[in-house]
Amino acid sequence: MMIILINSIPAVVLSDCPLLRSFINDTGVLDFNKTTMMNTESIIHCQWLVVGSSHQRIVVEFDYIFIPISVEEYLKTGCRRGSVNLWTPGLQHEKVELCGDRRKVRVAGVGQTLMIEFRLNDYYLDANFFMHYQLIQIEQALSTPSHLISSFILSAENYAECGLTSTNGYKFSRGVTSRIVGGRQAVPHSHPWQVLLNDRGKFCGATVLNANWIITAAHCVNGTNPENLLAEFGIHDRYSVEHSRVKRTIKQIVVYPSYNGKLTRWVHDIALLQLSNSLIFNPFVRSICLSSISNFIQIGDRTLVTGWGDTHGTGNFRYLREVEVPIQSNDQCRLKDVNSITTLCAGLCQNSTCDACQGDSGGPMVLLRNGRWHLVGLISWGFSCAGLGVYTKISYYTDWITKIIYH
């Protein structure tokens, strides 16, 4: 076992960062209190690296963290003025950022090293925390049951992997019957790629593609100024200030070049939105998988669509809702002038009450394949809110999507 203290960033290095004290039983403690620091009128930046063996994993628990940032400020700017950050080196995109007044926060590293960092960019802000760590054998770590995290527990799952949800394995084992119209409330945070898109009070859905890009229907954003859009992530109850809720503004809107709205019956109804700041993936915010295979989805497949849209009296749209909709052929849908290469038709459930509706537009249609959820469609338009729905077929646009978001 080795413990390393690192002070970095030229011109803001604080020489009296407290030491991380380690003990012979593979444990250690770190006690940080700003009032004990000699230089408290500058930007503070400290880093500590805990290193175990290849057969060990690192678990950190904070008895308390006190960096007084209000919920209102956090929802607007995050932990910008001060934070404790933790990540496994090489996986900085999965960094855990902590601030506010927290008690008993537990974080497990996914590798044999864990970086602990403290930043204070506002020297008027108070800050103190007490942390202890333990190096545990992998066998012991893997024997711990896997479950959806609470507001105080962060699991060791690799959140950068697409199409996974922390409720996989048991929450979705029960059958899904119906949703948004005629549907049910989703298991909280079981769709971590779901986005609520707000254009000055007009709402649409969207889906997380990676840390910097989301995808939605073109009709939701075409002709809109990016500055008017706000994307929100990690939501289940849209009227509640949930600790998992994250907001991002939009830097750029990229509408598919051939989209021409109502004139062409909303064909190519797809747009990409670049976020102003990258997302940090966690159990509540994750990306969906994409597939470029043209026949990835077949007639008869039962897909899942989600959103906070109108329920026509079949439920409360305060909470994220879901419905299973079967893929239909164009003959079944009687859509003579809709191209099956670029669109999907779904609906016509036995009780005719499963569909997307106003407010769901742009949201995801997903399909579970090989244990991962894949984005196969975007909610586009329909004949009613309890019949047939038309969806943008993602596989047709995969090359365009990847060219935009990875170049």
Side-chain angles (χ1 to χ4, degrees):
M1 178 191 67
M2 175 175 59
I3 308 299
I4 303 174
L5 171 65
I6 301 176
N7 286 323
S8 61
I9 302 188
V12 294
V13 173
L14 187 66
S15 59
D16 59 343
C17 288
L19 292 176
L20 181 64
R21 293 183 290 156
S22 60
F23 308 113
I24 59 174
N25 61 348
D26 285 343
T27 63
V29 296
L30 175 60
D31 187 2
F32 185 97
N33 193 323
K34 180 189 171 186
T35 60
T36 65
M37 314 302 286
M38 294 180 61
N39 182 7
T40 59
E41 296 186 357
S42 64
I43 294 174
I44 299 175
H45 181 261
C46 298
Q47 289 183 335
W48 303 267
L49 182 66
V50 179
V51 181
S53 72
S54 60
H55 301 293
Q56 293 175 315
R57 290 296 179 266
I58 302 158
V59 177
V60 167
E61 183 165 343
F62 292 86
D63 288 3
Y64 59 85
I65 296 173
F66 181 70
I67 304 173
I69 290 175
S70 67
V71 172
E72 292 76 16
E73 179 182 346
Y74 177 78
L75 291 175
K76 291 180 180 179
T77 61
C79 301
R80 184 177 299 174
R81 290 197 295 145
S83 64
V84 179
N85 309 300
L86 302 99
W87 70 90
T88 296
L91 297 174
Q92 282 87 340
H93 55 286
E94 297 179 27
K95 181 184 296 186
V96 175
E97 184 179 63
L98 302 170
C99 61
D101 188 359
R102 308 284 296 274
R103 296 292 185 274
K104 295 297 182 184
V105 180
R106 186 172 182 267
V107 182
V110 298
Q112 69 187 73
T113 59
L114 185 68
M115 181 69 75
I116 302 134
E117 175 188 63
F118 173 72
R119 285 181 176 272
L120 193 66
N121 297 318
D122 181 354
Y123 58 82
Y124 291 110
L125 192 67
D126 193 11
N128 58 80
F129 62 86
F130 185 84
M131 180 211 87
H132 53 90
Y133 76 87
Q134 182 181 10
L135 297 174
I136 56 178
Q137 298 301 311
I138 293 177
E139 292 78 14
Q140 179 183 344
L142 295 179
S143 66
T144 303
S146 175
H147 57 281
L148 182 65
I149 71 165
S150 71
S151 60
F152 304 105
I153 303 294
L154 295 171
S155 78
E157 191 175 350
N158 185 355
Y159 303 121
E161 293 189 35
C162 71
L164 297 177
T165 170
S166 296
T167 60
N168 269 357
Y170 64 98
K171 290 294 186 183
F172 280 102
S173 60
R174 51 195 170 99
V176 178
T177 53
S178 58
R179 171 224 133 209
I180 307 176
V181 172
R184 72 176 187 192
Q185 185 181 154
V187 175
H189 306 293
S190 57
H191 302 276
W193 37 81
Q194 178 78 45
V195 183
L196 181 62
L197 195 61
N198 186 349
D199 180 3
R200 296 168 298 178
K202 182 186 79 173
F203 294 94
C204 274
T207 311
V208 177
L209 294 178
N210 62 22
N212 297 298
W213 290 87
I214 62 176
I215 189 169
T216 189
H219 78 261
C220 288
V221 296
N222 191 44
T224 298
N225 187 328
E227 295 179 358
N228 295 331
L229 293 173
L230 179 67
E232 297 187 78
F233 310 82
I235 305 174
H236 178 65
D237 179 353
R238 64 186 294 184
Y239 300 145
S240 174
V241 181
E242 298 170 298
H243 74 279
S244 56
R245 196 165 185 155
V246 176
K247 296 183 180 182
R248 291 291 188 272
T249 54
I250 303 303
K251 179 179 180 180
Q252 178 186 187
I253 300 173
V254 183
V255 174
Y256 192 77
S258 302
Y259 175 73
N260 205 14
K262 188 176 181 180
L263 293 176
T264 53
R265 211 171 187 181
W266 295 282
V267 68
H268 305 308
D269 192 10
I270 184 171
L272 299 171
L273 308 182
Q274 185 180 17
L275 305 178
S276 298
N277 299 100
S278 299
L279 291 169
I280 298 173
F281 290 146
N282 57 53
F284 310 105
V285 182
R286 304 184 70 154
S287 63
I288 195 70
C289 294
L290 292 177
S291 176
S292 60
I293 302 172
S294 59
N295 62 349
F296 185 79
I297 187 169
Q298 303 287 335
I299 294 171
D301 283 340
R302 304 190 70 82
T303 64
L304 206 63
V305 291
T306 51
W308 290 274
D310 196 346
T311 66
H312 276 212
T314 61
N316 187 338
F317 55 83
R318 169 176 179 168
Y319 304 99
L320 183 67
R321 297 178 69 83
E322 62 185 21
V323 70
E324 190 181 62
V325 292
I327 299 297
Q328 307 287 357
S329 68
N330 276 19
D331 290 338
Q332 289 170 306
C333 292
R334 298 178 182 176
L335 300 178
K336 295 180 180 179
D337 55 348
V338 173
N339 191 339
S340 61
I341 297 176
T342 61
T343 57
L344 295 167
C345 178
L348 290 178
C349 301
Q350 285 186 334
N351 59 5
S352 295
T353 56
C354 66
D355 199 2
C357 200
Q358 286 80 19
D360 295 319
S361 290
M365 168 190 270
V366 298
L367 182 67
L368 187 63
R369 282 276 193 268
N370 300 318
R372 291 177 185 266
W373 292 92
H374 292 75
L375 183 68
V376 295
L378 301 177
I379 300 171
S380 182
W381 60 278
F383 297 100
S384 68
C385 286
L388 291 168
V390 180
Y391 300 79
T392 304
K393 189 176 182 180
I394 291 297
S395 60
Y396 178 83
Y397 302 94
T398 305
D399 289 345
W400 175 74
I401 293 170
T402 53
K403 181 179 179 181
I404 297 295
I405 69 176
Y406 292 116
H407 293 83

